Amino acid sequence: MMSLDQLPFRTPATVTGIDWSRLSEPDARRLRNLGFDEGVRIEALHGAPFGRDPLAIRIGRMTVAMRRLQAQAISVEAGGQ
Amino acid sequence: MSTYPLIAVVGNPNAGKSALFNMLTGARQKVGNYPGVTVERKSGRLYLADGRPVELVDLPGAYSLDPSSPDEEVTRDVLLGKQQGERLPDALLIVLDASNLDNHLRFALQLIALGAPTVVALNMVDLARRDGLDIDPVALERELGVPVIETVAVRRRGGDELKEALSASVGAARRLRAGDGAKAEDFAAIQRRARAIAKLVTVSEREVRRSTQIIDSIALHPVAGPLIFVGIMFFMFQAVFAWSEAPVNWIEALVAATQGAVAGIIPDGLLRSLLVDGVLAGVGAVIAFLPQILILFLFILVLEASGYMVRAAFLMDRLMARVGLSGHAFIPLLSSFACAIPGIMATRTIEDPKHRLTTILIAPLMTCSARLPVYGIIIGAFIPARSIGMGIGLQGLVLFGLYVLGVLGALVAALVLRFTVTRGAPRGFMMEMPKYQLPRARDIAIGLWSRTLIFLKRAGTIILVSTVILWALLAFPQPKPGETALDSSIAGKVAGALEVVVRPIGFNHEIALALIPAMAAREVAVSALATAYSIQADDSDEGSRVIEDRLRGRWSLPTALAFLAWFVFAPQCLSTVAVTRRETNGWKWPAFMLGYLFALAYVAAGAVYWGAVALGL
């Protein structure tokens, strides 16, 4: 178990939990609206130059940009079913 | 407003909603605004399969009925019948991206639960197939309980089938009930149901063709990414100047020819002066910038339609975070290089109100195309056209420096604002990164056409009116013998008072005079200087070459440089102030914007003037 910002690039993983209390309310709403939820398969694809922040995260067939700070609230498990 | 049945086109951002709307309505579109908010209202007429006309309205893309931006709020309010200036829709046309079903079905399920007659367009089925994804539309129709039509909007496929399905649905007894659906179902439950349906209707899912990922691994590469970004920006700004040269000359020649023709028909006197010196000179000087504005918008539309714009925002997020903003701010700021008005309107996609306000306040610091005529004339007159080596000209370098000065000013201003008046909790940067797509010429053309109309309308109204008023202020009262026209006129008297204020930063009487009408629009400064010096000299039909010679004779180099510095910062544009008032719902922020930008301009011009004098320039 690790947080999404620690997940190595190009390693498929499964969301095991989201600590909603670590996110501001609008950020949490946006994250929910983008489909982040327990059991969803995700993968970190790219990091921006200069510090690899923000990250480009694949969720389903969609790619979403997200800062590391928000990614810390998402727990993932590499692999998964 | 028509009384035809109203069909709302709704869907997630990037579902191809606009392309579908364009396919169904073609050029028969009306672009307006919802009252009270500056969210664009795009509507058009469509004839259904049975010949009935309906009005189609393209609602802003949204992820759910729980809005997180002013745009999404309009979508929700229209659907719930709470939006001022909009009827409750009679039917919904939901647009789904076939290759992104699990994400898009969430919103669709919420929409279907509203209970209106609904048709679903399963869009971009070609891209889905290319991505190795086969969807069973019949199964989807069964699961959703509403008609599902496969479409490829960009190739205009599925339009007839859609019209048929809509004519069967519109007029059905079911209707949206105002105020409904605010708390329909548990969001997590919808989430799971959406995923279950997506799984069920997906017939086969082969290995994804990851063209977008391959492009991204180059476009977002730590080294190549920033280089490509800088390359695109450089090419864009270079093209704005290089490609526009010929069309600008044609427009100028056309204006000059018209002036000549008018002068030949109408006898010398006030009417001729009004038409030739006022209307044609003023409006003509502004229309001449249409090519540059259109080229810039062409790039912006192509960058947006291709999907690169979001990547640019992604690359810029770190830099923007340093000054308390996010990558979201990049897109409106880039538009502001064409004109701050569409730029400020584009800020409505920024979710955080404090970020949005900050972006609005710094948008006028991006060098908009209206400054170009001012920069062009002054640089042409005072900066020698010599090379400083490596094919770089001194004039171009000065122009580039003015752009950089504006950007740096904006970044510093953002930082200061975020620590003071727009202080707020830090926010994340979360944004869907759409698939790369080849932009469709038709959609780009429709976008450019609506920009052209907006610009011409502006030139035909605010700029025309301010030019005529300026002409009148300059022409009346007519000079008594022994008096120059300039000194006797009303404008001359006002300028005399203003001169006292701007004298310390190196400005003279004519500059003070030009600053007044330039409040309406910056580019008017050029025609105002031209009018002022030509009324003085009483030979009005000579071109800008001559203005440059006149300026060179009358202005010192420090004055010219101070004038340039002033225009980098000064908020000389009434339309920008007006749009800021509308966007921020009051006079507080536009007043603040005027104050801080004028202060900045005054200090910068003064510093440049006295610095240049001290250096003995």
Side-chain angles (χ1 to χ4, degrees), chain B residues 16 33 74 78 108 174 179 213 224 248 300 317 345 504 514 529 532 536 538 544 573 601:
Chain B
N33 266 301
V74 166
V78 169
R174 299 193 307 159
Q213 262 187 46
V248 167
I300 287 172
D317 181 59
M345 283 169 65
L529 283 174
Q536 264 182 326
D538 205 27
S544 73
C573 175

Side-chain angles (χ1 to χ4, degrees), chain B residues 402-538:
Chain B
L402 294 170
Y403 272 85
V404 172
L405 195 59
V407 172
L408 290 180
L411 293 179
V412 173
L415 190 62
V416 173
L417 291 170
R418 287 290 283 157
F419 272 113
T420 54
V421 290
T422 61
R423 192 173 41 222
R427 275 293 310 276
F429 168 65
M430 255 178 251
M431 201 172 189
E432 182 181 346
M433 300 169 83
K435 287 191 243 336
Y436 286 105
Q437 260 178 319
L438 212 56
R440 309 295 303 183
R442 192 178 135 86
D443 293 331
I444 302 287
I446 290 178
L448 269 185
W449 175 236
S450 71
R451 304 284 170 211
T452 310
L453 283 185
I454 291 170
F455 180 80
L456 289 179
K457 225 163 93 184
R458 190 165 110 88
T461 53
I462 185 161
I463 296 174
L464 174 64
V465 169
S466 60
T467 318
V468 170
I469 291 175
L470 171 70
W471 170 85
L473 291 179
L474 280 169
F476 297 105
Q478 295 269 298
K480 297 182 202 71
E483 215 181 11
T484 69
L486 201 53
D487 292 335
S488 72
S489 69
I490 301 169
K493 301 229 157 60
V494 177
L498 187 60
E499 197 188 337
V500 181
V501 182
V502 294
R503 178 67 73 186
I505 58 170
F507 288 4
N508 58 28
H509 187 72
E510 285 76 20
I511 295 180
L513 185 76
L515 289 183
I516 303 167
M519 260 323 289
R522 294 179 179 87
E523 58 270 45
V524 180
V526 169
S527 49
L529 283 174
T531 311
Y533 284 122
S534 84
I535 284 189
Q536 264 182 326
D538 205 27

Side-chain angles (χ1 to χ4, degrees), chain B residues 63-241:
Chain B
Y63 288 95
S64 76
L65 286 174
D66 185 12
S68 41
S69 71
D71 257 8
E72 294 187 24
E73 221 163 279
V74 166
T75 299
R76 182 201 58 191
D77 289 348
V78 169
L79 293 172
L80 301 184
K82 288 194 281 198
Q83 175 62 49
Q84 200 196 338
E86 187 68 279
R87 299 175 283 156
L88 193 64
D90 297 286
L92 304 183
L93 172 54
I94 301 178
V95 188
L96 292 180
D97 173 0
S99 64
N100 206 351
L101 265 192
D102 43 354
N103 283 310
H104 287 191
L105 274 175
R106 241 184 348 259
F107 188 31
L109 286 172
Q110 284 190 311
L111 292 170
I112 292 169
L114 293 174
T118 300
V119 173
V120 168
L122 186 62
N123 199 21
M124 310 210 254
V125 281
D126 59 331
L127 286 181
R129 227 158 264 149
R130 212 189 64 188
D131 266 6
L133 203 61
D134 276 316
I135 309 287
D136 179 359
V138 180
L140 186 59
E141 196 167 289
R142 199 176 49 229
E143 288 301 315
L144 297 179
V146 297
V148 173
I149 309 291
E150 287 189 316
T151 58
V152 183
V154 291
R155 281 185 229 300
R156 324 199 65 190
R157 261 174 42 201
D160 291 339
E161 292 84 346
L162 263 187
K163 284 182 207 169
E164 232 155 82
L166 283 172
S167 40
S169 299
V170 173
R174 299 193 307 159
R175 266 190 70 88
L176 278 176
R177 284 151 299 168
D180 246 9
K183 198 86 203 133
E185 233 184 298
D186 179 25
F187 194 71
I190 291 182
Q191 181 102 290
R192 268 153 221 168
R193 197 162 128 65
R195 285 211 299 273
I197 294 178
K199 208 162 182 183
L200 193 74
V201 301
T202 304
V203 181
S204 68
E205 189 171 1
R206 294 181 298 279
E207 178 55 31
V208 189
R209 218 189 90 173
R210 298 169 185 254
S211 50
T212 288
Q213 262 187 46
I214 293 166
I215 301 175
D216 267 345
S217 59
I218 302 164
L220 304 180
H221 185 272
V223 180
L227 288 178
I228 292 170
F229 172 77
V230 170
I232 290 176
M233 290 299 119
F234 180 82
F235 179 69
M236 177 169 120
F237 282 107
Q238 194 270 339
V240 165
F241 294 103

Side-chain angles (χ1 to χ4, degrees), chain B residues 365-385:
Chain B
L365 288 169
M366 300 293 121
T367 301
C368 67
S369 44
R371 286 176 174 94
L372 282 175
V374 182
Y375 290 173
I377 294 269
I378 305 298
I379 288 175
F382 291 93
I383 308 296

Side-chain angles (χ1 to χ4, degrees), chain A residues 26-27 29-31 33-35 37 40 46 49 52-55 61-67 70, chain B residues 63-64 67 72 99 103 106 191-192 195 205 216 222 314 317-318 325-326 351 427-431 433:
Chain A
D27 282 344
R29 187 193 305 133
R30 182 51 110 198
L31 204 61
N33 282 342
L34 288 170
D37 190 12
V40 170
H46 317 277
R52 292 296 179 126
D53 188 15
L55 298 164
R61 288 181 170 257
M62 184 166 77
T63 310
V64 170
M66 175 188 312
R67 285 192 187 155
Q70 278 73 44
Chain B
Y63 288 95
S64 76
E72 294 187 24
S99 64
N103 283 310
R106 241 184 348 259
Q191 181 102 290
R192 268 153 221 168
R195 285 211 299 273
E205 189 171 1
D216 267 345
F314 182 82
D317 181 59
R318 207 77 289 254
L325 293 173
S326 79
E351 294 163 28
R427 275 293 310 276
F429 168 65
M430 255 178 251
M431 201 172 189
M433 300 169 83

Side-chain angles (χ1 to χ4, degrees), chain B residues 224 265 607:
Chain B
I265 300 166

